[in-house]
């Protein structure tokens, strides 16, 4: 069966400095601290949190657990990239979350994007689910800094 290619992109501005936002989101494992849809995140096999190759198992409040692998971590440029290894009916999922300073206001621009393949019959469901995770994550960040 053929696969369809999808790109999902969401962004927003958080009323906090780059350093404040990175302190909250800069840990690959601590995603439940700022993403309201995620109940728990555990790094497998006693690996270091932000070590490339480390795998986190995420439990959502709704749905099945997902395993994600850290592919790149750039503390200097405030970004990390990860893949979904198991738990969703998609292939070659690569996602990056990155933050940038909004120098005029000392706020932070957040962008979260991904690319992946899935079966045509799962396209709308998966696109909506991924978009929902990203939008709820950005909304949770805004709420964390009381916007």
């Amino acid at each position: 069966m053929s696969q369809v290619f999808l790109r999902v992109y969401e962004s927003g501005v958080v009323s906090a400095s780059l350093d404040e936002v990175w302190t909250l989101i800069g840990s690959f494992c601590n995603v439940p601290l700022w993403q309201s849809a995620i109940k728990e995140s555990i790094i497998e096999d006693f690996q270091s949190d932000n070590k490339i190759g480390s795998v986190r198992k995420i439990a959502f409040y709704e749905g099945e657990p997902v395993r994600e692998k850290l592919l790149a971590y750039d503390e200097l440029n405030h970004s990390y990239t990860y893949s979904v290894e198991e738990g969703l009916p998609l292939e070659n999922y690569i996602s990056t979350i990155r933050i940038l300073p909004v120098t005029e206001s000392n706020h932070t621009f957040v962008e979260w994007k991904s690319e992946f393949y899935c079966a045509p019959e799962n396209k709308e469901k998966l696109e909506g689910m991924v978009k929902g995770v990203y939008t709820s994550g950005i909304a949770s960040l805004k709420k964390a800094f009381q916007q």
Side-chain angles (χ1 to χ4, degrees):
M1 176 184 274
S2 67
Q3 301 278 306
V4 294
F5 177 74
L6 290 170
R7 281 191 176 122
V8 177
Y9 180 91
E10 292 297 321
S11 64
V13 176
V14 176
S15 293
S17 72
L18 182 79
D19 289 337
E20 290 172 306
V21 176
W22 186 248
T23 296
L24 186 57
I25 74 166
S27 166
F28 183 58
C29 188
N30 287 341
V31 68
L33 296 178
W34 59 272
Q35 171 45 282
S36 62
I38 297 175
K39 181 179 178 180
E40 181 179 54
S41 175
I42 298 169
I43 297 290
E44 296 181 348
D45 299 326
F46 306 104
Q47 299 172 6
S48 298
D49 180 21
N50 294 328
K51 182 181 178 189
I52 295 182
S54 63
V55 175
R56 69 181 177 193
K57 185 173 184 180
I58 291 181
F60 292 91
Y61 283 100
E62 296 179 17
E64 297 297 315
V66 174
R67 292 179 69 242
E68 298 174 334
K69 182 177 185 178
L70 186 62
L71 302 176
Y73 185 84
D74 189 342
E75 188 166 4
L76 182 63
N77 292 303
H78 306 96
S79 72
Y80 54 87
T81 300
Y82 60 94
S83 62
V84 168
E85 298 296 299
E86 125 187 356
L88 293 172
L90 46 74
E91 293 182 20
N92 299 322
Y93 176 98
I94 304 293
S95 179
T96 299
I97 186 163
R98 178 173 75 146
I99 62 173
L100 299 162
V102 179
T103 57
E104 180 181 62
S105 60
N106 197 33
H107 292 166
T108 302
F109 177 75
V110 179
E111 70 174 5
W112 203 346
K113 61 185 176 179
S114 61
E115 296 180 345
F116 57 93
Y117 292 88
C118 68
E121 62 271 16
N122 292 332
K123 178 185 183 290
E124 287 183 27
K125 179 182 176 184
L126 288 170
E127 186 174 33
M129 185 206 70
V130 171
K131 184 179 182 88
V133 168
Y134 295 177
T135 57
S136 70
I138 293 169
S140 294
L141 279 173
K142 290 179 178 184
K143 186 176 180 182
F145 294 101
Q146 311 209 346
Q147 293 183 327

